mmCIF file of all heavy atoms in Angstrom:
data_model
loop_
_atom_site.group_PDB
_atom_site.id
_atom_site.type_symbol
_atom_site.label_atom_id
_atom_site.label_comp_id
_atom_site.label_asym_id
_atom_site.label_seq_id
_atom_site.Cartn_x
_atom_site.Cartn_y
_atom_site.Cartn_z
ATOM 1 N N GLY A 184 -23.199 1.226 16.357
ATOM 2 C CA GLY A 184 -23.877 2.085 15.400
ATOM 3 C C GLY A 184 -23.637 3.534 15.786
ATOM 4 O O GLY A 184 -23.670 3.872 16.971
ATOM 5 N N VAL A 185 -23.408 4.384 14.814
ATOM 6 C CA VAL A 185 -23.039 5.779 15.062
ATOM 7 C C VAL A 185 -24.039 6.679 14.369
ATOM 8 O O VAL A 185 -24.271 6.556 13.159
ATOM 9 C CB VAL A 185 -21.613 6.074 14.561
ATOM 10 C CG1 VAL A 185 -21.239 7.516 14.856
ATOM 11 C CG2 VAL A 185 -20.610 5.122 15.199
ATOM 12 N N ASP A 186 -24.635 7.580 15.154
ATOM 13 C CA ASP A 186 -25.550 8.594 14.622
ATOM 14 C C ASP A 186 -24.868 9.949 14.750
ATOM 15 O O ASP A 186 -24.539 10.392 15.860
ATOM 16 C CB ASP A 186 -26.873 8.589 15.389
ATOM 17 C CG ASP A 186 -27.824 9.671 14.898
ATOM 18 O OD1 ASP A 186 -28.238 9.615 13.729
ATOM 19 O OD2 ASP A 186 -28.138 10.589 15.698
ATOM 20 N N LEU A 187 -24.639 10.620 13.624
ATOM 21 C CA LEU A 187 -23.968 11.915 13.612
ATOM 22 C C LEU A 187 -24.977 13.029 13.795
ATOM 23 O O LEU A 187 -26.117 12.944 13.318
ATOM 24 C CB LEU A 187 -23.201 12.101 12.303
ATOM 25 C CG LEU A 187 -22.124 11.054 11.992
ATOM 26 C CD1 LEU A 187 -21.484 11.335 10.650
ATOM 27 C CD2 LEU A 187 -21.081 11.029 13.095
ATOM 28 N N GLY A 188 -24.561 14.087 14.492
ATOM 29 C CA GLY A 188 -25.458 15.204 14.751
ATOM 30 C C GLY A 188 -24.701 16.489 14.973
ATOM 31 O O GLY A 188 -23.476 16.568 14.779
ATOM 32 N N ILE A 189 -25.406 17.520 15.401
ATOM 33 C CA ILE A 189 -24.819 18.841 15.630
ATOM 34 C C ILE A 189 -24.681 19.123 17.119
ATOM 35 O O ILE A 189 -23.621 19.567 17.588
ATOM 36 C CB ILE A 189 -25.670 19.933 14.950
ATOM 37 C CG1 ILE A 189 -25.670 19.736 13.433
ATOM 38 C CG2 ILE A 189 -25.143 21.322 15.295
ATOM 39 C CD1 ILE A 189 -26.517 20.727 12.683
ATOM 40 N N THR A 190 -25.749 18.884 17.887
ATOM 41 C CA THR A 190 -25.652 19.087 19.331
ATOM 42 C C THR A 190 -24.552 18.212 19.911
ATOM 43 O O THR A 190 -23.691 18.677 20.679
ATOM 44 C CB THR A 190 -26.996 18.768 20.001
ATOM 45 O OG1 THR A 190 -28.026 19.560 19.405
ATOM 46 C CG2 THR A 190 -26.928 19.063 21.491
ATOM 47 N N TYR A 191 -24.577 16.928 19.566
ATOM 48 C CA TYR A 191 -23.486 16.005 19.841
ATOM 49 C C TYR A 191 -22.923 15.576 18.504
ATOM 50 O O TYR A 191 -23.678 15.215 17.597
ATOM 51 C CB TYR A 191 -23.966 14.798 20.637
ATOM 52 C CG TYR A 191 -24.401 15.124 22.050
ATOM 53 C CD1 TYR A 191 -25.744 15.331 22.342
ATOM 54 C CD2 TYR A 191 -23.481 15.238 23.076
ATOM 55 C CE1 TYR A 191 -26.153 15.644 23.631
ATOM 56 C CE2 TYR A 191 -23.870 15.545 24.374
ATOM 57 C CZ TYR A 191 -25.206 15.741 24.640
ATOM 58 O OH TYR A 191 -25.601 16.053 25.917
ATOM 59 N N PHE A 192 -21.597 15.588 18.395
ATOM 60 C CA PHE A 192 -20.997 15.208 17.115
ATOM 61 C C PHE A 192 -21.395 13.795 16.717
ATOM 62 O O PHE A 192 -21.709 13.526 15.557
ATOM 63 C CB PHE A 192 -19.474 15.324 17.208
ATOM 64 C CG PHE A 192 -18.771 14.829 15.977
ATOM 65 C CD1 PHE A 192 -18.704 15.611 14.838
ATOM 66 C CD2 PHE A 192 -18.186 13.568 15.952
ATOM 67 C CE1 PHE A 192 -18.073 15.153 13.697
ATOM 68 C CE2 PHE A 192 -17.552 13.102 14.821
ATOM 69 C CZ PHE A 192 -17.488 13.897 13.688
ATOM 70 N N ALA A 193 -21.377 12.885 17.676
ATOM 71 C CA ALA A 193 -21.740 11.499 17.404
ATOM 72 C C ALA A 193 -22.319 10.880 18.659
ATOM 73 O O ALA A 193 -21.877 11.165 19.772
ATOM 74 C CB ALA A 193 -20.540 10.691 16.913
ATOM 75 N N VAL A 194 -23.321 10.034 18.462
ATOM 76 C CA VAL A 194 -23.931 9.265 19.544
ATOM 77 C C VAL A 194 -23.881 7.808 19.130
ATOM 78 O O VAL A 194 -24.322 7.448 18.030
ATOM 79 C CB VAL A 194 -25.375 9.712 19.817
ATOM 80 C CG1 VAL A 194 -26.000 8.859 20.919
ATOM 81 C CG2 VAL A 194 -25.416 11.180 20.204
ATOM 82 N N THR A 195 -23.351 6.949 19.993
ATOM 83 C CA THR A 195 -23.195 5.543 19.672
ATOM 84 C C THR A 195 -24.373 4.738 20.199
ATOM 85 O O THR A 195 -25.140 5.201 21.051
ATOM 86 C CB THR A 195 -21.886 4.995 20.257
ATOM 87 O OG1 THR A 195 -21.932 5.099 21.680
ATOM 88 C CG2 THR A 195 -20.703 5.794 19.733
ATOM 89 N N SER A 196 -24.503 3.523 19.710
ATOM 90 C CA SER A 196 -25.623 2.666 20.101
ATOM 91 C C SER A 196 -25.526 2.202 21.552
ATOM 92 O O SER A 196 -26.535 1.761 22.111
ATOM 93 C CB SER A 196 -25.682 1.449 19.170
ATOM 94 O OG SER A 196 -24.439 0.761 19.165
ATOM 95 N N ASP A 197 -24.355 2.282 22.161
ATOM 96 C CA ASP A 197 -24.240 1.918 23.573
ATOM 97 C C ASP A 197 -24.461 3.088 24.512
ATOM 98 O O ASP A 197 -24.206 2.986 25.715
ATOM 99 C CB ASP A 197 -22.878 1.275 23.854
ATOM 100 C CG ASP A 197 -21.721 2.156 23.402
ATOM 101 O OD1 ASP A 197 -21.988 3.294 22.964
ATOM 102 O OD2 ASP A 197 -20.571 1.708 23.480
#
Side-chain angles (χ1 to χ4, degrees):
V185 181
D186 178 63
L187 301 178
I189 296 178
T190 304
Y191 292 97
F192 175 78
V194 178
T195 62
S196 55
D197 54 5

